[in-house]
Amino acid sequence: MALKPWEEKAKSARDYRDSTLSKVEPPFPPLPDPLPLSSQDLPKQYLTAREYELTQNYDAVELLQMLRTKQVTSEELTKAFLRRAALAQYALNCVTELMWDEAIERAKYLDSLPEPVGPLHGLPISVKEHHSMFGEKTTNHASYVAWIGTPGATNPVNDYLYDAGCVYYARTTGPQTLMALECDNNIYGKTVNPWNRNLTSGGSSGGEGALVGFKGSVLGLGGDIGGSVRAPASNNGVYGFKPTTKRIPGKGMKHVAAGKESIHGTIGPLAQSRETINLFMKTILDNEPWRHDAGLTVKPWTPETITAPLKVAIEWHDGVVKPHPPVIRALQMVADACKAAGMDVVDWEPYKHDKAWDIVSGLYFPDGGEAILAPIKESGEPIMPLTKFIVEQPNVKNRTMHEYWDLCVERDTYRDEYAAHWSSMAESGKEVDVIICPTTPGAAPLHDTATYWPYTSQWNLLDYPAAVFPVTFVDPDKDKKDENYVPMNDQDKYNYDLYDPQKWVGAPVSLTIVGRRQMDEKVMAALELVEKAMGRK
Amino acid sequence: MALKPWEEKAKSARDYRDSTLSKVEPPFPPLPDPLPLSSQDLPKQYLTAREYELTQNYDAVELLQMLRTKQVTSEELTKAFLRRAALAQYALNCVTELMWDEAIERAKYLDSLPEPVGPLHGLPISVKEHHSMFGEKTTNHASYVAWIGTPGATNPVNDYLYDAGCVYYARTTGPQTLMALECDNNIYGKTVNPWNRNLTSGGSSGGEGALVGFKGSVLGLGGDIGGSVRAPASNNGVYGFKPTTKRIPGKGMKHVAAGKESIHGTIGPLAQSRETINLFMKTILDNEPWRHDAGLTVKPWTPETITAPLKVAIEWHDGVVKPHPPVIRALQMVADACKAAGMDVVDWEPYKHDKAWDIVSGLYFPDGGEAILAPIKESGEPIMPLTKFIVEQPNVKNRTMHEYWDLCVERDTYRDEYAAHWSSMAESGKEVDVIICPTTPGAAPLHDTATYWPYTSQWNLLDYPAAVFPVTFVDPDKDKKDENYVPMNDQDKYNYDLYDPQKWVGAPVSLTIVGRRQMDEKVMAALELVEKAMGRK
């Protein structure tokens, strides 16, 4: 049967992707069919020992040290990550373009220089397709069929990292509209989770999540307006950071509603370690990006040292949907570790998180979703279920200008109320420094079920910095379902009914640490203390 | 003839104002009829010697020192300012309410305390009516007849200052819609300039401008979204500061389009001295207002010290309208003083200021002015000429949501271009620290002629901090009209044709010093250097 025009177009993007994959040298023998539930054992089987060692064992900070001391060349390292990224594509379907020739050429060039060009000299970095690429390489479809082959804009973040010496080698998938916490689109289909292919890698930076979770990347760039860095980081058991908006330049991403400022998004990193996040933030802010992107906050990356005992509040649930048992267990593990380390650990009382969802969902689409659906209509590609789900949220309406402004007032009022709520907890003693909370209401969701955004979108609405860190893995023996659980409401019932520990075998469980707005450095400093309390470095 | 309902309502506000003025003790004998062109000699004639001395000779910083050392009580000082403010009302029509009893009661209370309650202990402060008042005293009409007698919201800035020990004693006028650079409304009529009553006191903080220019206040609070602090400060020969937005809380002001965030306004001070501005900023930011107003920048007031020679760029004109001769002379005076003090003085090249006006005027009223005109229609009060003028600007249109977002993108693009423009001037040497530019295209405008906003609105569009400082006075001998001047365009012709030095006798001439966004402290530090170069303290 002849392909429809949109299908032809989608196929052209896949063909292009495959042509870039065909460069891989040496090519891989066929992968197992069917693929195993977890992809985590594939690299050892399909990579050379040296490739495996280089990609498996180090974070970006360690690799940079090895590059500086010539324990590895950028070329060798880049080829290793190119090969592992190709393997990730075969196993997980997370890559839109493998930059084989360009990356190796770049790596060789960097190796030829007598001195490092910058702090990331020789380090391979992956980037979400939505973000465009470096310099003039901007062709970008943002997961819309209609936009395949269209030029995008230069992305200052990518250019800063390039100037700092990185090597771009892979671009990665996102979901249709990019407004989804999963990663499925009509061009490439589903990206799956490297720990359990029945689970989603998350979204919208789901390609990055899968690739970093597969250790096909030590530093990947995603974007977050509702959870799009944090959900994939969490689902794939890696670190992720959503800074306060207006710290990191936001240009270069293709938007249907540029100019809408009701809820801002931000670029954020997914990484193998906490210190990679700090390195990323410092590298970007050392460029004084506010001198180019006039809306940014004028503030260098200013690491903090916390001396007084940390006061941590645990958000056990958001008052609407209770997380699955593995998440509760992870919260308990971290709370216990913090207490044992002498921290003051209290319970966080969520403040009207249900109302927050009404506000933020309305503000995502004040035109009722018209702009975000337009490229779908343009190409004729089908509207996917999670797209339909999000634009049909009860408070998504096509508003008049004045109704839109009124909703922005509701947003500001809620933000002020939340600030007062946080301050009020200081009236009896020291103020809470950070909240530790679920990233999502469970480990990585089963495909096509990730409909509960508020655990992540809450911090977009409030514009609070939030870092994701891995804690543990689902353990069916420990994380039993409570068959007598009485749900608080329909949403809670939906979420709890999904849970079956056997379906989540091997899935990572991660948590989020949140600080007050613009306290980005404090969040990262607090995360260091929490991880040390957990016995990490 | 019977009054129309809106006229009745307007009269009720005037009656209320007059009732508050009737408390003045002792009352004033009748003022000259007609009133003199300049009101500056009236205080010496109508106040006691002590009242005159207290109000005439000191800035807020000096008065606070006198209060602390008991050289004056708050009661004596407050009564002196109450009497001078009453005189200002009779001469200039700038007061909407004189808080005689409340202010004296407050001053007595403060005098009775063994220790100061805060850094402003005992200091009388005046506030624009639009800003509400302190605590529960919020009735506020924002110069709309329809809103007379309606409650407003508490204003955190006023409350911070109150908590710091100030005494509120006068509320002041603004123009219809508050979107005007003059001060005329259907409730009170015109506020006139204390230096020359044929000139406007400016707007929208025109009551504060007149009162501070008459020395009826050492510190008055205004607001600025298009020049509303700076034009009145400039017109009346006093200091004024428009900080970068999101430093000072913006709540408490009654808005027709709250929630619109295309162009933000900010509260700013009008004052007798530069150091009063620094005191104001520090006093507000010492409250950590970002803990309550969740959209504010988290940054204390952080005074800067500039050690390298200052690099000053002079904007002689904006490429569209050339300022009147007194302003050019003032620019030359300051440029010469800066050069003589060893500063690097260069010419500023304006970047598309005409396009900037198109963008900012469109963004003021993305609904075509519907919201701002609604309360006028509600009461039936007439639309005033400057209201009509501003909502009929060529780029003011009733836009669709998507057209509105597109214009916001134009704004952001222009902001980035201007940032690049500023940076580009650093390519050949040190970057420009500050721009010194006209505040308005002449001294205080003749009534009903202040239609050229771009000298002030430029820095609202860019959100650059800008401080106004007095420089000189119009001197018909020096500031002759160039009868051979060839205007650059129609707007320039309109402005130049207005000029006749004889009409501006006695008018102050002020300038503005501007820094890059969020460089508020640097602007104030640079102003100190410039004023010292001018031989001031």
Side-chain angles (χ1 to χ4, degrees):
Chain A
M1 199 172 78
L3 293 179
K4 295 177 185 158
W6 77 260
E7 289 172 323
E8 287 280 6
K9 209 164 174 181
K11 181 173 181 300
S12 74
R14 290 193 302 274
D15 289 347
Y16 175 72
R17 175 201 63 196
D18 293 346
S19 74
T20 69
L21 266 293
S22 72
K23 307 258 185 156
V24 175
E25 192 52 48
F28 292 104
L31 266 60
D33 184 10
L35 284 157
L37 189 66
S38 167
S39 302
Q40 296 291 345
D41 292 334
L42 297 173
K44 192 160 198 172
Q45 300 167 36
Y46 285 84
L47 300 179
T48 68
R50 175 68 168 164
E51 286 169 344
Y52 182 73
E53 181 229 333
L54 288 174
T55 53
Q56 185 73 18
N57 296 338
Y58 310 110
D59 73 357
V61 176
E62 291 161 336
L63 289 176
L64 283 164
Q65 176 63 13
M66 290 163 69
L67 285 160
R68 274 192 293 272
T69 54
K70 315 277 187 203
Q71 294 173 63
V72 66
T73 63
S74 179
E75 183 184 355
E76 186 180 27
L77 190 64
T78 298
K79 280 185 180 162
F81 277 102
L82 279 163
R83 292 247 303 156
R84 191 154 181 157
L87 194 61
Q89 168 55 22
Y90 297 135
L92 310 170
N93 193 31
C94 58
V95 170
T96 69
E97 177 178 358
L98 193 74
M99 296 165 65
W100 184 271
D101 290 337
E102 289 157 274
I104 293 171
E105 186 188 348
R106 165 78 170 163
K108 282 182 176 168
Y109 166 73
L110 292 169
D111 285 333
S112 76
L113 298 177
E115 294 293 330
V117 303
L120 303 184
H121 190 93
L123 185 76
I125 288 181
S126 56
V127 182
K128 188 181 185 181
E129 196 271 352
H130 177 214
H131 288 207
S132 177
M133 240 299 142
F134 70 95
E136 302 302 305
K137 186 176 169 74
T138 65
T139 304
N140 173 345
H141 55 58
S143 305
Y144 282 122
V145 173
W147 290 355
I148 289 170
T150 60
T154 59
N155 182 321
V157 167
N158 294 355
D159 287 356
Y160 292 149
L161 298 176
Y162 191 82
D163 291 345
C166 85
V167 177
Y168 289 116
Y169 69 105
R171 302 178 71 179
T172 59
T173 52
Q176 185 184 51
T177 78
L178 297 157
M179 292 300 282
L181 297 182
E182 301 196 17
C183 194
D184 191 1
N185 63 54
N186 288 316
I187 305 171
Y188 307 109
K190 279 186 170 57
T191 301
V192 303
N193 192 298
W195 299 92
N196 180 333
R197 57 192 310 103
N198 292 332
L199 306 176
T200 178
S201 66
S204 65
S205 312
E208 285 306 322
L211 186 62
V212 179
F214 188 73
K215 297 201 169 177
S217 174
V218 286
L219 173 55
L221 301 190
D224 194 317
I225 196 170
S228 284
V229 163
R230 290 163 291 151
S234 178
N235 291 352
N236 299 287
V238 303
Y239 293 79
F241 188 46
K242 177 192 82 67
T244 305
T245 64
K246 304 294 181 188
R247 297 275 326 248
I248 304 289
K251 287 190 283 192
M253 286 176 284
K254 211 176 267 183
H255 287 300
V256 288
K260 172 166 70 72
E261 47 198 338
S262 46
I263 299 290
H264 288 285
T266 178
I267 286 178
L270 294 93
Q272 303 293 355
S273 71
R274 182 187 71 242
E275 289 312 319
T276 307
I277 294 173
N278 284 314
L279 173 67
F280 168 82
M281 293 300 291
K282 178 169 164 43
T283 302
I284 297 301
L285 293 179
D286 277 353
N287 287 278
E288 302 188 336
W290 50 85
R291 291 174 53 80
H292 313 288
D293 192 331
L296 299 181
T297 302
V298 179
K299 185 182 176 189
W301 186 246
T302 315
E304 280 192 30
T305 306
I306 298 171
T307 48
L310 199 66
K311 185 161 178 178
V312 174
I314 307 290
E315 186 198 298
W316 297 98
H317 66 79
D318 70 354
V320 185
V321 167
K322 194 172 173 180
H324 291 167
V327 176
I328 304 286
R329 181 168 60 85
L331 286 167
Q332 192 64 58
M333 284 170 66
V334 174
D336 290 347
C338 290
K339 272 182 212 160
M343 296 179 196
D344 189 3
V345 179
V346 299
D347 292 340
W348 183 254
E349 193 179 317
Y351 177 82
K352 298 184 184 175
H353 287 213
D354 49 348
K355 183 178 176 180
W357 175 246
D358 280 348
I359 296 171
V360 76
S361 59
L363 288 175
Y364 284 141
F365 313 106
D367 64 350
E370 194 184 292
I372 206 162
L373 296 176
I376 296 177
K377 289 185 180 149
E378 185 188 332
S379 70
E381 64 169 304
I383 296 181
M384 305 192 77
L386 287 178
T387 301
K388 194 169 145 63
F389 161 79
I390 196 69
V391 298
E392 291 184 355
Q393 284 298 289
N395 207 33
V396 173
K397 293 170 190 164
N398 194 344
R399 291 168 204 272
T400 66
M401 187 92 73
H402 294 174
E403 287 167 349
Y404 173 46
W405 295 344
D406 288 345
L407 191 58
C408 290
V409 172
E410 272 195 61
R411 174 200 63 195
D412 294 346
T413 302
Y414 181 79
R415 286 173 173 171
D416 291 353
E417 287 172 2
Y418 215 95
H421 177 66
W422 193 310
S423 296
S424 74
M425 297 185 70
E427 279 171 16
S428 52
K430 183 178 178 292
E431 177 163 312
V432 166
D433 291 303
V434 287
I435 304 169
I436 292 179
C437 57
T439 310
T440 50
L446 299 165
H447 292 293
D448 301 313
T449 69
T451 56
Y452 193 70
W453 290 39
Y455 274 104
T456 45
S457 60
Q458 178 71 24
W459 315 120
N460 298 94
L461 175 62
L462 294 172
D463 199 14
Y464 289 179
V468 170
F469 60 107
V471 177
T472 185
F473 292 87
V474 173
D475 180 338
D477 290 337
K478 293 178 180 166
D479 302 321
K480 296 196 194 307
K481 187 166 188 170
D482 175 2
E483 300 296 345
N484 297 316
Y485 179 66
V486 180
M488 300 183 278
N489 52 58
D490 286 352
Q491 282 179 293
D492 193 30
K493 179 172 175 6
Y494 170 81
N495 184 65
Y496 208 82
D497 284 352
L498 289 171
Y499 186 62
D500 171 355
Q502 295 307 328
K503 293 183 179 169
W504 266 272
V505 169
V509 183
S510 310
L511 294 175
T512 293
I513 182 166
V514 173
R516 294 186 80 147
R517 182 168 164 273
Q518 297 192 342
M519 299 295 181
D520 303 68
E521 289 87 342
K522 184 175 184 178
V523 166
M524 292 308 298
L527 178 55
E528 180 177 346
L529 296 182
V530 170
E531 289 208 274
K532 285 183 173 162
M534 292 166 71
R536 300 178 182 174
K537 64 175 178 179
Chain B
M1 200 173 77
L3 293 178
K4 294 176 187 161
W6 77 260
E7 289 171 321
E8 288 279 6
K9 208 163 176 183
K11 182 172 180 299
S12 74
R14 292 193 300 276
D15 288 348
Y16 175 73
R17 174 200 64 195
D18 293 346
S19 74
T20 68
L21 266 293
S22 73
K23 306 258 185 154
V24 174
E25 190 55 45
F28 293 106
L31 265 61
D33 183 10
L35 283 158
L37 190 66
S38 166
S39 302
Q40 296 291 344
D41 292 334
L42 297 174
K44 191 158 200 172
Q45 299 166 38
Y46 285 83
L47 299 180
T48 67
R50 175 66 168 165
E51 285 169 346
Y52 182 73
E53 182 230 329
L54 288 173
T55 53
Q56 186 72 20
N57 296 340
Y58 311 110
D59 72 358
V61 176
E62 291 162 335
L63 289 177
L64 284 164
Q65 177 63 14
M66 291 163 68
L67 284 162
R68 275 192 292 271
T69 54
K70 314 278 187 201
Q71 294 172 63
V72 66
T73 63
S74 178
E75 183 184 354
E76 187 180 26
L77 190 63
T78 297
K79 280 184 179 162
F81 276 102
L82 279 162
R83 291 248 302 156
R84 192 153 179 159
L87 194 61
Q89 167 54 22
Y90 297 135
L92 310 170
N93 192 32
C94 57
V95 171
T96 68
E97 177 178 359
L98 195 74
M99 295 163 65
W100 185 271
D101 290 337
E102 288 157 275
I104 293 171
E105 187 188 348
R106 165 79 170 162
K108 282 182 178 169
Y109 166 72
L110 292 170
D111 285 334
S112 75
L113 298 176
E115 294 295 331
V117 302
L120 304 184
H121 189 93
L123 185 75
I125 288 181
S126 56
V127 182
K128 189 181 186 180
E129 196 271 351
H130 177 214
H131 289 205
S132 178
M133 238 302 141
F134 70 95
E136 301 302 305
K137 187 176 167 76
T138 64
T139 304
N140 172 345
H141 54 58
S143 304
Y144 283 121
V145 173
W147 290 354
I148 289 170
T150 60
T154 58
N155 183 321
V157 167
N158 294 354
D159 286 356
Y160 291 149
L161 298 175
Y162 191 83
D163 291 345
C166 85
V167 177
Y168 290 116
Y169 68 106
R171 302 179 69 179
T172 59
T173 53
Q176 186 184 50
T177 77
L178 297 158
M179 290 300 282
L181 297 182
E182 302 196 16
C183 194
D184 192 0
N185 63 54
N186 288 316
I187 304 170
Y188 307 108
K190 279 185 170 58
T191 301
V192 304
N193 193 297
W195 298 93
N196 179 332
R197 57 193 308 103
N198 293 331
L199 305 175
T200 178
S201 66
S204 66
S205 313
E208 285 306 321
L211 187 62
V212 180
F214 187 73
K215 297 201 167 176
S217 175
V218 286
L219 173 56
L221 301 191
D224 193 317
I225 196 170
S228 286
V229 162
R230 289 162 291 150
S234 178
N235 291 352
N236 299 287
V238 303
Y239 293 79
F241 187 48
K242 177 192 81 67
T244 305
T245 64
K246 306 292 180 186
R247 298 272 331 244
I248 304 289
K251 288 188 283 190
M253 288 176 285
K254 210 175 270 184
H255 288 299
V256 288
K260 171 166 71 71
E261 47 198 338
S262 46
I263 300 290
H264 288 285
T266 177
I267 286 178
L270 296 93
Q272 303 294 354
S273 70
R274 183 187 71 241
E275 289 311 319
T276 307
I277 293 172
N278 283 315
L279 173 66
F280 168 81
M281 294 299 290
K282 178 170 164 40
T283 303
I284 298 301
L285 293 179
D286 277 353
N287 286 279
E288 303 189 335
W290 51 85
R291 291 174 52 79
H292 313 288
D293 192 332
L296 299 181
T297 302
V298 178
K299 185 182 177 189
W301 186 245
T302 315
E304 282 193 27
T305 306
I306 298 171
T307 48
L310 199 68
K311 184 160 177 178
V312 174
I314 307 290
E315 184 198 298
W316 297 97
H317 66 80
D318 69 354
V320 184
V321 167
K322 194 171 173 179
H324 291 166
V327 176
I328 303 287
R329 181 168 61 83
L331 286 166
Q332 192 64 60
M333 285 169 66
V334 174
D336 290 347
C338 289
K339 274 182 211 158
M343 296 178 195
D344 189 4
V345 179
V346 299
D347 292 341
W348 182 255
E349 193 178 317
Y351 177 83
K352 300 186 183 173
H353 287 213
D354 49 348
K355 182 178 176 180
W357 176 245
D358 280 349
I359 296 171
V360 75
S361 59
L363 289 175
Y364 285 141
F365 312 108
D367 63 350
E370 193 184 293
I372 206 162
L373 297 176
I376 296 177
K377 289 186 181 148
E378 184 187 334
S379 71
E381 65 168 304
I383 295 181
M384 306 192 77
L386 288 179
T387 300
K388 195 169 144 63
F389 162 80
I390 196 69
V391 297
E392 291 184 355
Q393 285 296 291
N395 208 33
V396 173
K397 293 169 190 164
N398 195 344
R399 292 169 202 273
T400 65
M401 187 92 76
H402 294 174
E403 287 166 348
Y404 172 48
W405 294 345
D406 289 346
L407 191 58
C408 289
V409 171
E410 272 195 61
R411 174 200 64 195
D412 293 346
T413 302
Y414 181 79
R415 286 174 173 171
D416 289 353
E417 287 172 2
Y418 216 95
H421 178 66
W422 192 311
S423 296
S424 73
M425 298 186 69
E427 280 172 15
S428 52
K430 183 179 178 296
E431 176 164 311
V432 167
D433 291 303
V434 287
I435 305 170
I436 291 179
C437 58
T439 310
T440 51
L446 300 164
H447 291 294
D448 300 314
T449 69
T451 56
Y452 193 71
W453 289 40
Y455 274 104
T456 45
S457 59
Q458 179 71 24
W459 314 121
N460 299 92
L461 175 61
L462 294 173
D463 199 15
Y464 289 180
V468 171
F469 59 107
V471 176
T472 183
F473 291 88
V474 173
D475 180 338
D477 291 336
K478 292 178 179 164
D479 302 321
K480 294 194 195 306
K481 186 165 189 170
D482 175 4
E483 299 297 346
N484 298 317
Y485 178 67
V486 181
M488 299 183 279
N489 51 57
D490 287 349
Q491 283 179 293
D492 193 30
K493 180 172 172 11
Y494 169 82
N495 184 63
Y496 209 83
D497 285 352
L498 288 171
Y499 186 60
D500 171 356
Q502 295 306 327
K503 292 183 180 168
W504 266 273
V505 170
V509 183
S510 312
L511 294 174
T512 292
I513 183 165
V514 173
R516 293 186 82 147
R517 181 167 165 275
Q518 297 193 342
M519 299 293 181
D520 302 67
E521 288 87 343
K522 184 176 186 178
V523 165
M524 293 308 298
L527 178 56
E528 179 176 345
L529 297 182
V530 169
E531 289 209 273
K532 284 182 172 162
M534 293 166 71
R536 300 176 182 175
K537 67 175 179 178

